[in-house]
Amino acid sequence: MLMSTIQAGIVGLGRLGKRYASDLRWRVRGVSLVAACSLQAEELAWARSELGIAHTYLNYEALLNHQGLDAVFIVSSTSQHVPQLIAALRAGLHVFCEKPLGITLADCLQAEAVAARHPTQLAVVGFVRRFDPAYAYAKQQIAAGLIGRPFMLRSQTVDVDAVAGFQMEFVKSSGGIFHDMNVHDIDLARWFLQSEIQTVFAAGGAFKHPAFGEAGDADNVVATCVMENGHIAQFWASRTAAHGHDTQTEIIGTEGVLCVGRNAAAQRVEILDRYGVRQECVQTFYERFEQAFLLQTQDFIDCLLQGRRPALQLRDATRATQAAIALSASLFEGKGVVQTQPLNELEG
Amino acid sequence: MLMSTIQAGIVGLGRLGKRYASDLRWRVRGVSLVAACSLQAEELAWARSELGIAHTYLNYEALLNHQGLDAVFIVSSTSQHVPQLIAALRAGLHVFCEKPLGITLADCLQAEAVAARHPTQLAVVGFVRRFDPAYAYAKQQIAAGLIGRPFMLRSQTVDVDAVAGFQMEFVKSSGGIFHDMNVHDIDLARWFLQSEIQTVFAAGGAFKHPAFGEAGDADNVVATCVMENGHIAQFWASRTAAHGHDTQTEIIGTEGVLCVGRNAAAQRVEILDRYGVRQECVQTFYERFEQAFLLQTQDFIDCLLQGRRPALQLRDATRATQAAIALSASLFEGKGVVQTQPLNELEG
Amino acid sequence: MLMSTIQAGIVGLGRLGKRYASDLRWRVRGVSLVAACSLQAEELAWARSELGIAHTYLNYEALLNHQGLDAVFIVSSTSQHVPQLIAALRAGLHVFCEKPLGITLADCLQAEAVAARHPTQLAVVGFVRRFDPAYAYAKQQIAAGLIGRPFMLRSQTVDVDAVAGFQMEFVKSSGGIFHDMNVHDIDLARWFLQSEIQTVFAAGGAFKHPAFGEAGDADNVVATCVMENGHIAQFWASRTAAHGHDTQTEIIGTEGVLCVGRNAAAQRVEILDRYGVRQECVQTFYERFEQAFLLQTQDFIDCLLQGRRPALQLRDATRATQAAIALSASLFEGKGVVQTQPLNELEG
Amino acid sequence: MLMSTIQAGIVGLGRLGKRYASDLRWRVRGVSLVAACSLQAEELAWARSELGIAHTYLNYEALLNHQGLDAVFIVSSTSQHVPQLIAALRAGLHVFCEKPLGITLADCLQAEAVAARHPTQLAVVGFVRRFDPAYAYAKQQIAAGLIGRPFMLRSQTVDVDAVAGFQMEFVKSSGGIFHDMNVHDIDLARWFLQSEIQTVFAAGGAFKHPAFGEAGDADNVVATCVMENGHIAQFWASRTAAHGHDTQTEIIGTEGVLCVGRNAAAQRVEILDRYGVRQECVQTFYERFEQAFLLQTQDFIDCLLQGRRPALQLRDATRATQAAIALSASLFEGKGVVQTQPLNELEG
C-alpha cells in the first residue's frame, strides 16, 4: 500500500507555493507532483528546471483537466482560494487549501456547501501549527492530563519588522492583521479550549508604521475573547519585532501551564559576547514551521492513501474567519465588544 | 548628614507588617524603629522579643502620640489605610502606606485632599515593583532608548495555588482580584506607557475554585486596556498557578521588547533529572520582591533625610484604584467596555 | 544534472542502519537505495516490506556484486568497518562508513592505504555533528570572527542511563567509552581548534554501574588535552544521565564563547507545574542528530553527483581513533599523561 | 541574646575591604564596626566620612590594641593574611580572614598551629560560595538525595576581560590563576565530593594577554583532578570573558545533575532586539556574590554570638592552597601529573 502514489498538482508558486512544491517533489512520501499552475511564466520555468515538473500551466482549468490528477494544492492569493477550491471539487479532485479559506463568511459557507455535495473528496484548509511537533506534543500532554483542565489560552503571532514592507502590499487582499496573523491563534484557542469564540474586544494601532493605519489596518493588535463555554483567550499580533518571528502560546490549566514556543531560538547555539548571553531567533514563520508544513502535507497525502478523514475540516476555517471578522469589527469599525453571529442563522 | 536618624513607628504586624518591621529594624539605614502598634497582643510581643522594640501600643492614637516620632508605616488591613493615613498627617507625621490606598475613589480623593493640606509632610503609597532592580533596570534602559518608543505593555500577576485559601479570606476586604493583584500591573502600565488607562474590557472566572465566584470574585482574569494616548495594555491575574509566584511584564517598543521576570527561578540552580531540565520557582510575592521592599523603604527614609520628594504620589494610587474599579465593573458587573471617569469631575 | 541518480546499497540494518536506509529511501535526493545486506534475515524482510527494497543479501560479497551499484553505506558493527570498506573499494564502489573507522591504528592506516590506491572513489567516515545545523552555524560564525581567535574547547557526550544496559553489550566491540562517545568530541576539538591532539590525561570510573568497570570500561570519564598548537580541550562522557541525551560543546575564543547544545530540549515546550519551569530533553543521540544524519547522507550523495571532494577524509577518522587510544591508555592502562604517536612513524 | 553586640575592627580597605566594612556597618546584625586600619590615609578618611568610624589606624598593632575589640576582619593583601591572623590570635581576638589564607603550605600550617594554641578563639577563612543561596540550596538538595550519590564536579571561575589589567598587577602577590580563581572551585570539589584532591593535571596558556605568560601565569587554564575517594573534578579558570563574570558549577550524581550559576544574568530582564533574545550578565564576582558575602559575615558574627563553631576551618584553606600548589606545579613547572603531598608528612 505504501507503494501507491497520489498524483498531485499545485496552483500558486509564490514564496510559500515554492515551499509546498519542493516538499511535494522531494520530501513527502506517497505523492508525485506531476503538474503546476501559475500566472507567472518564470515561476513555471522554475518548476520545470528546479523540480523537473514536466507539465506546467498558465491556466487553472487546464491544470484541473490534467490527465490522472488526484489532488490539487491551492497556494494562490487569498481571493482565489474559494473559487479554485470549488472548481477543483467540481472537477472531482481532492483539495488542500492554504489558510485562510476566505475573508468573508459567505465565501466560506459557499465552499462548505459545495464540499458537502462532494462527500467522497477531501477538502482541507491548513492550520499549520497543529502539525508543529511542539504544539502537537502540548495537545497530547494535555489529553494525558498534565495540566488538569485547560481554561485559558494566551497566544501571539509576532513577525519581524523586516517583512512589514512586504506585508503592506498584501493588507487589502489578506483581510488585515486578524485574518492574516491572529487567525492561527484563533484556531489554537478553538483547538485547545474546545469551544467557539463568542465575545471579543480588540485594541491596537499603527504604532511604528503609519501606513498600516492609513490602509485601515494596524501593526500591533491585542484582544480579549470569551468562548461559548466561558473559557478565555488573549491574543497579540505584531508586525514590528526586531528580534525575529516569535510565535508563542500558553495554555493554562487547573494544574499547570504549557508554554509553546517561548524559546524562539533559530538553532541550539548560545552566544556569550559583549551583548550578554543570547540566542539568535528564527526570522520567518516558515523557518519556524518548516517541519510543520512538511508534516501537514504528509498528513494530507496519508489521509488519501489510507482513506482517513483529516482532523481539520472546512468548518474549522469558517469558524476562524468568523472570529477574525469579529475582531476586525471591534477594532477597525470601533464596535467595542462584538459577538460572533450564530452560523446557523447565516446558513439559513 | 548620614548620621541623622528618622524615628519611625509602624501599624500592622501581620505577615507583611513583620517584614517591614524587620527591615526597618535591621536593614534600612538612617531609621530607628521605635514604636509599633497592632490590635493583636501576640504581634506586639513578637516586636518586643524579636526586634527589641521598647514601645508597643494596642491603640493607634497612642502610637501617633509617641514622643519624637517622625514617620509612620501603615501596613494594616486595607480598610484602615485611609483613616490611619489621615490621622497620621493630622498628627504631623510623614506617612508611608502599603498599597492599595483605598478601594473606593472617594476614599482615595479624601486622602489626597488631606495630604494637600499638609504639603511639608510626605504621604506615599508603595508600588513595590518600581523598586525591583529588574523593573528599575528596564525603566532605565527604556529611557536610554534601548527599545525605541514603548507603545504596549503586557503584564501578569500570578500567585501560587497554595495561597488561594489564604486569599479567599481577604476577598471582601481586598476589593477583589483586580484591586489586589492587577493593581500592580496597572501601575506598571501607567509608569512605562506614561498615560492613564481610559478604556477597559475584562473577562475571567472562577475556573478552579468556585468559592471565588460565589464571593463575587474570580481566580483568573484577563483584560485589554487602551490608554489616553492610544497605547495598549494586556493584563492577566491568576490565583491558581502550580509552579510558583510568576510576575512578568513585557514592554514592547518600536525597536525591541523588554521582558521582566520571565525567569521566575527561585535561585540560580538548574536541576537535570527525570523531570527534564528545570528550575524551581519563587513561591510568594515576598520571596520575589524582598529586595524591592527593602529598597522601597530605604528610598522613603532617604527622601526624608535628604528633603527629596518621592517619585510616587498619592495620585498614583488613586489612578490605580480607578482602573481597578473599571476592570471590576467590566467583569463583575457585566458592563463590557468601561471608560474610567475623569478625576476632575469627581473632585468637582 | 539533478535528475541523475546514485544507485546505493547498505550493509547493516540494526537500529542505526534502519535510519540510514529509511533516509536513503525516502528523504535523500539523488539516490536510489536498490540493495541491502544483513546477517539477520528479519532485517532484510523489514527492508523489503517497509522500504520496498527488491534486492536483499545475506552475503556482503553478493551486495558488492549487485549490478549497477555506485556506492555502499557501511553501518555494520565496528569490527567489520575496515574489511568491508576495503572490499568495497576493491569492488570499485564509493564508500560511506559510520564512525568509528576502526579501534586500532593499524586498521585505520590500512584503510587509508587502500583508499589511496583508489583515488577516484570516495571513502568517507561520518562525524555527524559537523552536519548538525547548530554546529555548522557555530563553525560559520567563528569563521566570520564572532568570537575572535578560538583557543579552547569543552565538549561532552552524555547518554541517558536508560541505554546503559544496551551499551554494556557493545563495550568490547565498540572500543570503550572514549572510542564510542568522546570520539565525536575529539573530532570537534580538531575541527574547531584546527590542530591535532598531542597530550592527554584522563580520569573516570564506573560510578553507577560497576559492570562497566569489570569490563575494563567506565561509565563516566573526563579528560584534559593539549593540542599541537598549544590550544586546550576538555572532555566529559557519561552513560548515566537521568534527564536525557545531552551533547554540548563550548568553543572559547578571545572575544566570546559559543555554546552549542546547552539547550537539550526535546521540543519547544516549557512545562510550568509543581516541578518548576522545565523542558523535557531529547532521549537519544538519534533524536538529537536526526537532521544531521540526513544532511550528512545528502552531502555524500551531492559530492558524488557534483564530483566534489567531501570535507571529511579517512585521515580525520584515523586521527580521532589515535586520540581515543591515547585517552584509553591514560585511564584504563593507568599511564597518566600520554602523548599521541606521530603518524608518520607508524606509517614508516 | 540578640541584643548583644560584637565589637569588630577591620584591616584592609581596598575594593573588597570597603564592601566588608559597609556590610559590617549597615547590614550585619549583632556587630558594631568600631575601628579600621589601613596603610592608606585616604581609605581611613573614607571610613570616617562614609561609615562614621570614629577610630582609624595606620598601624595594625594599634588596631589590635583598640579597647574592647572582640574580632578583626582581615581583608588586606594576601601576603599579610597569615602574619596578621597570627598577631590577632595572640592579641586574644577572633579572626575572619579573606581567602586565600596563604600561598605556601608552610604559612598555612603555621597559622593552623597558632590557632590550635588559641582554641577558644575563632579563626576562619572565607570561601564565600558556600554561603551563596544557590550553592547552599544545591548542597541541601544533595543531602536530601535529589541527585543520588554525587561522584563528579565540573566548576569554572570566569572573569570578565575588562578586569584583566587589574588582575595583572596582582599576579605576583595573588599566587597566580589557580590560587586566585580556581581556589574556589577546589573548595567546592572538596565540599560536594567530600574528599581531598590527590592527583591533578593542568593545561593552559596566555591565549589573549601574553603579559600573563611573561609573568609566569596564564589567562585560561583547565584541569582534571582525581580525589582520594576516586571521585573526579574538572576546572576551568579564565580572565578573558567578553560577556561577564561567569561562575558555574555542575555536581553530577548517580540520579541527576545540579547546575549552579548556569544563568549568569545580571537581573531578571530579557532583551529582545536585533541581537536576539538575550540577558546581560553580572560583571564582577562581587556583583554575583554580594548576598553571599553578607551571609558569610553574618554567619561569623552569629557564631560568635551563639558560641557556635563555624563550618569552615583553617584546615579547609590549607587544603585548598595545597591543591592550588599542585595545579600550579603541573602547568607552570611542567610537571605533568602531580600528587598532593600528605599533610601529616609536612607537619612532621
Side-chain angles (χ1 to χ4, degrees):
Chain A
M1 185 186 66
L2 267 164
M3 298 305 114
S4 56
T5 300
I6 300 298
Q7 307 291 310
I10 189 167
V11 58
L13 290 171
R15 205 172 45 147
L16 189 56
K18 285 193 173 72
R19 308 282 198 172
Y20 272 98
S22 294
D23 278 355
L24 286 165
R25 175 67 182 88
W26 301 118
R27 301 171 77 195
V28 178
R29 291 188 303 271
V31 66
S32 287
L33 182 63
V34 295
C37 171
S38 167
L39 299 175
Q40 312 294 331
E42 67 270 28
E43 290 178 358
L44 297 178
W46 173 89
R48 286 189 298 268
S49 67
E50 295 300 312
L51 305 186
I53 307 296
H55 305 282
T56 59
Y57 303 98
L58 286 162
N59 180 291
Y60 182 59
E61 288 302 314
L63 175 72
L64 297 183
N65 292 326
H66 182 85
Q67 186 69 28
L69 206 65
D70 297 311
V72 66
F73 284 76
I74 300 173
V75 201
S76 52
S77 63
T78 297
S79 60
Q80 297 304 304
H81 288 183
V82 168
Q84 288 180 344
L85 180 144
I86 288 171
L89 288 171
R90 287 179 175 153
L93 301 176
H94 302 287
V95 189
F96 178 93
C97 181
E98 237 304 289
K99 71 89 203 169
L101 177 51
I103 303 302
T104 69
L105 270 184
D107 274 0
C108 295
L109 292 171
Q110 188 193 0
E112 285 194 56
V114 175
R117 291 196 288 274
H118 297 80
T120 62
Q121 294 161 245
L122 297 193
V124 172
V125 171
F127 282 102
V128 71
R129 290 189 199 169
R130 294 199 188 192
F131 294 90
D132 177 63
Y135 281 99
Y137 185 74
K139 182 72 175 173
Q140 167 195 327
Q141 290 300 99
I142 289 168
L146 185 66
I147 60 166
R149 284 177 289 110
F151 59 83
M152 180 173 155
L153 178 138
R154 303 174 78 214
S155 193
Q156 71 184 54
T157 301
V158 169
D159 266 337
V160 74
D161 189 59
V163 302
F166 177 83
Q167 292 179 331
M168 188 60 220
E169 297 174 36
F170 291 86
V171 163
K172 293 294 180 196
S173 62
S174 74
I177 193 165
F178 294 111
H179 286 275
D180 196 29
M181 297 177 66
N182 278 138
V183 72
H184 288 292
D185 307 294
I186 291 166
D187 183 61
L188 292 174
R190 298 180 60 254
W191 194 39
F192 282 109
L193 300 180
Q194 299 187 287
S195 184
E196 300 301 333
I197 289 175
Q198 186 172 61
T199 307
V200 308
F201 176 71
F207 296 106
K208 182 165 184 181
H209 301 298
F212 285 104
E214 290 154 17
D217 200 18
D219 59 19
N220 279 270
V221 293
V222 294
T224 290
C225 305
V226 184
M227 318 289 288
E228 287 176 3
N229 64 2
H231 291 176
I232 49 182
Q234 271 193 322
F235 301 141
W236 172 30
S238 173
R239 304 184 187 278
T240 61
H243 62 294
H245 177 82
D246 195 352
T247 287
Q248 297 187 22
T249 303
E250 292 162 79
I251 308 107
I252 295 105
T254 49
E255 309 299 333
V257 176
L258 287 177
C259 299
V260 179
R262 190 145 71 165
N263 180 346
Q267 62 276 307
R268 295 177 192 265
V269 176
E270 284 181 70
I271 305 169
L272 283 53
D273 64 6
R274 62 200 185 89
Y275 302 109
V277 174
R278 62 195 180 100
Q279 289 199 282
E280 293 174 320
C281 300
V282 295
Q283 291 302 301
T284 65
F285 75 92
Y286 190 80
E287 189 182 349
R288 170 64 182 84
F289 291 105
E290 178 179 358
Q291 194 179 0
F293 275 104
L294 176 59
L295 292 169
Q296 178 179 254
T297 301
Q298 185 67 65
D299 182 71
F300 179 74
I301 298 300
D302 289 349
C303 282
L304 292 177
L305 290 171
Q306 299 162 12
R308 178 162 54 80
R309 300 297 299 176
L312 276 156
Q313 311 288 335
L314 290 191
R315 176 49 55 103
D316 294 290
T318 304
R319 288 294 195 180
T321 291
Q322 186 185 30
I325 290 168
L327 288 161
S328 302
S330 176
L331 177 58
F332 299 124
E333 303 172 24
K335 293 197 172 167
V337 174
V338 174
Q339 311 284 333
T340 55
Q341 219 177 325
L343 278 185
N344 56 355
E345 295 180 12
L346 293 162
E347 293 174 302
Chain B
M1 183 187 63
L2 267 164
M3 298 306 115
S4 56
T5 300
I6 300 298
Q7 307 292 310
I10 189 168
V11 57
L13 290 171
R15 205 172 47 149
L16 190 55
K18 285 193 174 72
R19 308 282 198 174
Y20 271 100
S22 294
D23 278 356
L24 286 165
R25 175 67 182 89
W26 301 118
R27 302 172 75 193
V28 179
R29 289 188 304 272
V31 65
S32 286
L33 181 63
V34 294
C37 171
S38 166
L39 299 175
Q40 312 294 331
E42 68 272 24
E43 290 178 358
L44 297 178
W46 174 87
R48 285 189 299 269
S49 66
E50 294 300 312
L51 305 186
I53 308 296
H55 305 283
T56 58
Y57 301 99
L58 286 161
N59 181 290
Y60 182 58
E61 287 303 312
L63 175 74
L64 297 183
N65 292 325
H66 181 85
Q67 186 67 29
L69 205 65
D70 296 313
V72 65
F73 284 76
I74 299 173
V75 201
S76 51
S77 62
T78 297
S79 60
Q80 296 303 305
H81 287 182
V82 167
Q84 288 180 344
L85 181 145
I86 289 172
L89 287 172
R90 288 180 174 154
L93 301 175
H94 303 288
V95 189
F96 178 93
C97 181
E98 238 306 287
K99 71 92 203 168
L101 177 52
I103 302 301
T104 70
L105 269 183
D107 274 0
C108 294
L109 292 171
Q110 188 193 0
E112 285 195 54
V114 175
R117 290 196 291 272
H118 296 81
T120 61
Q121 292 161 246
L122 298 192
V124 173
V125 171
F127 282 102
V128 70
R129 290 190 199 167
R130 294 201 188 190
F131 294 90
D132 177 64
Y135 282 99
Y137 185 76
K139 181 72 175 174
Q140 167 196 327
Q141 290 301 99
I142 290 169
L146 184 66
I147 60 166
R149 283 177 291 109
F151 60 83
M152 181 172 153
L153 178 138
R154 303 174 79 214
S155 193
Q156 71 185 53
T157 301
V158 169
D159 267 335
V160 74
D161 189 58
V163 303
F166 177 83
Q167 292 178 333
M168 188 60 220
E169 297 175 35
F170 290 86
V171 163
K172 293 294 180 195
S173 61
S174 74
I177 193 166
F178 294 111
H179 285 276
D180 196 29
M181 299 177 66
N182 279 138
V183 72
H184 288 291
D185 307 294
I186 291 167
D187 183 62
L188 293 173
R190 298 180 60 251
W191 194 39
F192 281 109
L193 300 180
Q194 299 187 288
S195 183
E196 300 300 332
I197 288 175
Q198 188 171 60
T199 306
V200 308
F201 176 70
F207 296 104
K208 183 165 183 181
H209 301 297
F212 285 104
E214 290 155 15
D217 200 18
D219 59 19
N220 279 270
V221 293
V222 294
T224 290
C225 306
V226 185
M227 317 289 289
E228 286 177 5
N229 63 2
H231 292 175
I232 48 182
Q234 269 192 326
F235 303 139
W236 173 31
S238 174
R239 305 184 187 278
T240 60
H243 62 294
H245 176 83
D246 195 353
T247 287
Q248 297 187 23
T249 303
E250 291 162 81
I251 308 106
I252 294 106
T254 49
E255 308 300 333
V257 176
L258 287 177
C259 299
V260 179
R262 191 146 68 164
N263 179 346
Q267 62 275 308
R268 294 177 191 266
V269 176
E270 284 181 70
I271 304 169
L272 282 54
D273 63 7
R274 63 198 184 92
Y275 302 109
V277 173
R278 61 194 180 101
Q279 289 199 280
E280 293 173 320
C281 300
V282 295
Q283 292 300 302
T284 65
F285 75 93
Y286 190 80
E287 190 182 349
R288 170 64 183 83
F289 291 106
E290 177 179 358
Q291 194 179 359
F293 275 105
L294 176 60
L295 292 169
Q296 177 180 254
T297 302
Q298 185 69 63
D299 182 70
F300 179 74
I301 298 299
D302 288 350
C303 282
L304 291 177
L305 290 171
Q306 299 162 12
R308 178 162 55 81
R309 300 297 301 176
L312 276 157
Q313 310 289 335
L314 290 190
R315 177 50 54 105
D316 293 290
T318 303
R319 287 294 196 181
T321 291
Q322 188 185 31
I325 290 169
L327 288 161
S328 302
S330 176
L331 177 58
F332 299 123
E333 304 173 23
K335 293 198 171 165
V337 173
V338 174
Q339 311 284 332
T340 55
Q341 219 178 327
L343 277 185
N344 56 356
E345 294 180 14
L346 292 161
E347 292 174 305
Chain C
M1 182 185 66
L2 267 165
M3 299 307 114
S4 56
T5 301
I6 301 298
Q7 307 292 309
I10 190 167
V11 58
L13 290 171
R15 205 171 47 148
L16 189 56
K18 285 194 172 71
R19 308 282 198 173
Y20 271 99
S22 294
D23 278 354
L24 286 165
R25 174 67 181 88
W26 301 119
R27 301 171 77 193
V28 178
R29 290 189 304 272
V31 66
S32 286
L33 182 63
V34 295
C37 171
S38 166
L39 299 176
Q40 312 293 330
E42 67 272 26
E43 291 177 357
L44 297 178
W46 173 88
R48 285 189 299 269
S49 67
E50 295 299 311
L51 305 186
I53 308 296
H55 305 282
T56 58
Y57 302 99
L58 286 162
N59 180 291
Y60 181 60
E61 286 303 315
L63 175 73
L64 296 182
N65 292 327
H66 182 86
Q67 186 69 28
L69 206 64
D70 297 311
V72 67
F73 284 76
I74 299 174
V75 201
S76 53
S77 62
T78 298
S79 60
Q80 297 304 306
H81 287 182
V82 167
Q84 289 180 343
L85 181 144
I86 289 171
L89 287 171
R90 288 179 174 155
L93 300 175
H94 303 288
V95 188
F96 178 93
C97 181
E98 238 306 288
K99 70 92 201 165
L101 178 52
I103 303 300
T104 70
L105 269 183
D107 274 359
C108 295
L109 292 170
Q110 188 193 0
E112 285 194 55
V114 174
R117 291 196 290 273
H118 297 80
T120 62
Q121 294 162 246
L122 298 193
V124 172
V125 171
F127 283 101
V128 71
R129 289 189 199 168
R130 294 200 188 192
F131 294 90
D132 177 64
Y135 281 100
Y137 185 76
K139 182 72 174 173
Q140 167 194 328
Q141 290 300 101
I142 289 168
L146 184 66
I147 61 166
R149 283 178 291 107
F151 59 83
M152 179 172 156
L153 178 137
R154 304 173 78 213
S155 193
Q156 71 184 53
T157 301
V158 169
D159 267 336
V160 74
D161 190 58
V163 302
F166 177 83
Q167 292 178 333
M168 189 59 221
E169 297 175 36
F170 291 87
V171 162
K172 293 294 179 196
S173 62
S174 75
I177 193 165
F178 294 111
H179 285 275
D180 195 29
M181 297 178 66
N182 279 138
V183 73
H184 288 291
D185 307 295
I186 290 166
D187 183 62
L188 293 173
R190 299 180 59 253
W191 194 38
F192 281 108
L193 300 180
Q194 298 187 288
S195 183
E196 300 300 334
I197 289 175
Q198 188 171 59
T199 307
V200 308
F201 176 70
F207 296 105
K208 182 165 182 179
H209 300 297
F212 285 104
E214 289 154 17
D217 199 18
D219 59 19
N220 279 269
V221 293
V222 293
T224 290
C225 305
V226 184
M227 318 289 290
E228 287 177 4
N229 63 1
H231 291 176
I232 49 182
Q234 270 192 324
F235 302 140
W236 173 30
S238 174
R239 304 184 188 277
T240 61
H243 61 294
H245 176 83
D246 194 354
T247 287
Q248 297 187 21
T249 303
E250 292 162 78
I251 309 106
I252 294 106
T254 49
E255 309 301 332
V257 176
L258 286 177
C259 299
V260 180
R262 189 146 70 165
N263 180 347
Q267 62 276 306
R268 294 177 192 266
V269 176
E270 284 181 71
I271 304 168
L272 283 54
D273 64 5
R274 62 200 185 91
Y275 302 110
V277 173
R278 62 195 179 100
Q279 289 200 282
E280 292 173 320
C281 299
V282 295
Q283 292 301 302
T284 66
F285 76 93
Y286 190 80
E287 189 182 349
R288 169 66 182 84
F289 291 106
E290 177 180 357
Q291 193 178 1
F293 275 104
L294 176 59
L295 292 169
Q296 177 180 256
T297 301
Q298 186 68 63
D299 183 71
F300 179 74
I301 297 299
D302 289 349
C303 282
L304 292 177
L305 290 171
Q306 299 162 11
R308 177 162 55 79
R309 300 297 300 176
L312 277 156
Q313 311 288 335
L314 289 191
R315 175 51 54 103
D316 293 290
T318 304
R319 288 295 195 180
T321 291
Q322 187 184 32
I325 290 168
L327 288 161
S328 301
S330 176
L331 177 57
F332 299 123
E333 302 173 25
K335 293 198 171 165
V337 174
V338 173
Q339 312 283 334
T340 56
Q341 220 176 325
L343 278 184
N344 56 357
E345 295 181 12
L346 293 161
E347 293 174 305
Chain D
M1 183 186 68
L2 267 165
M3 297 307 113
S4 56
T5 301
I6 300 298
Q7 306 292 310
I10 189 167
V11 57
L13 290 171
R15 206 172 46 148
L16 189 56
K18 284 193 174 72
R19 308 281 198 173
Y20 271 100
S22 294
D23 278 355
L24 286 165
R25 175 66 181 89
W26 301 119
R27 300 172 78 194
V28 178
R29 289 189 305 272
V31 65
S32 287
L33 182 63
V34 294
C37 171
S38 167
L39 299 175
Q40 312 293 329
E42 66 272 27
E43 290 178 357
L44 297 178
W46 174 88
R48 284 190 299 268
S49 67
E50 295 300 311
L51 304 186
I53 307 295
H55 305 283
T56 60
Y57 303 98
L58 286 162
N59 180 291
Y60 182 59
E61 286 303 314
L63 175 73
L64 297 183
N65 292 326
H66 181 84
Q67 186 68 28
L69 206 65
D70 297 311
V72 66
F73 284 77
I74 299 173
V75 200
S76 53
S77 63
T78 298
S79 60
Q80 297 304 305
H81 286 182
V82 166
Q84 288 180 344
L85 180 144
I86 289 172
L89 286 171
R90 286 179 175 155
L93 300 176
H94 303 289
V95 189
F96 177 93
C97 181
E98 238 307 287
K99 70 91 205 169
L101 177 52
I103 303 301
T104 68
L105 269 184
D107 274 359
C108 294
L109 292 171
Q110 188 192 359
E112 284 194 56
V114 175
R117 292 196 289 274
H118 296 80
T120 62
Q121 293 161 245
L122 298 192
V124 172
V125 171
F127 282 102
V128 70
R129 289 189 199 168
R130 295 200 188 190
F131 293 91
D132 177 63
Y135 282 99
Y137 185 75
K139 182 72 174 174
Q140 166 195 327
Q141 290 299 101
I142 290 169
L146 185 66
I147 60 166
R149 282 178 291 108
F151 59 82
M152 179 172 156
L153 178 138
R154 304 174 78 212
S155 193
Q156 71 184 53
T157 301
V158 169
D159 266 335
V160 73
D161 190 57
V163 303
F166 176 84
Q167 291 179 333
M168 189 59 221
E169 298 175 35
F170 291 86
V171 162
K172 292 294 181 197
S173 62
S174 74
I177 194 165
F178 294 111
H179 285 275
D180 196 28
M181 298 178 67
N182 279 138
V183 72
H184 289 291
D185 306 295
I186 291 167
D187 183 61
L188 292 174
R190 299 180 59 252
W191 195 39
F192 281 108
L193 300 180
Q194 299 188 286
S195 183
E196 301 300 333
I197 288 174
Q198 187 171 61
T199 306
V200 308
F201 175 71
F207 296 104
K208 181 165 185 181
H209 302 296
F212 285 103
E214 290 154 17
D217 200 18
D219 60 18
N220 279 270
V221 293
V222 293
T224 290
C225 306
V226 185
M227 318 289 290
E228 287 177 2
N229 63 2
H231 291 175
I232 48 182
Q234 269 192 325
F235 302 139
W236 173 30
S238 173
R239 304 183 187 278
T240 61
H243 62 294
H245 176 82
D246 195 353
T247 287
Q248 296 187 23
T249 302
E250 292 162 79
I251 309 108
I252 295 104
T254 48
E255 308 300 334
V257 177
L258 286 177
C259 299
V260 179
R262 189 146 69 164
N263 180 345
Q267 62 276 306
R268 295 177 191 265
V269 176
E270 284 181 71
I271 304 169
L272 282 54
D273 64 7
R274 63 199 185 90
Y275 302 109
V277 173
R278 62 194 179 99
Q279 289 199 282
E280 293 173 320
C281 300
V282 294
Q283 292 301 302
T284 65
F285 76 94
Y286 190 80
E287 189 182 349
R288 170 64 182 86
F289 290 106
E290 178 181 357
Q291 194 179 0
F293 275 105
L294 176 60
L295 292 170
Q296 178 179 253
T297 302
Q298 186 68 64
D299 183 70
F300 179 74
I301 297 299
D302 289 350
C303 282
L304 291 177
L305 290 172
Q306 299 162 11
R308 178 163 54 82
R309 300 299 299 176
L312 277 157
Q313 311 287 337
L314 290 191
R315 176 49 55 105
D316 293 289
T318 304
R319 288 293 195 180
T321 291
Q322 188 186 29
I325 290 168
L327 288 161
S328 301
S330 176
L331 177 58
F332 299 123
E333 303 173 23
K335 293 198 172 166
V337 174
V338 174
Q339 311 284 333
T340 55
Q341 219 177 326
L343 278 185
N344 56 355
E345 295 180 13
L346 293 161
E347 292 174 304

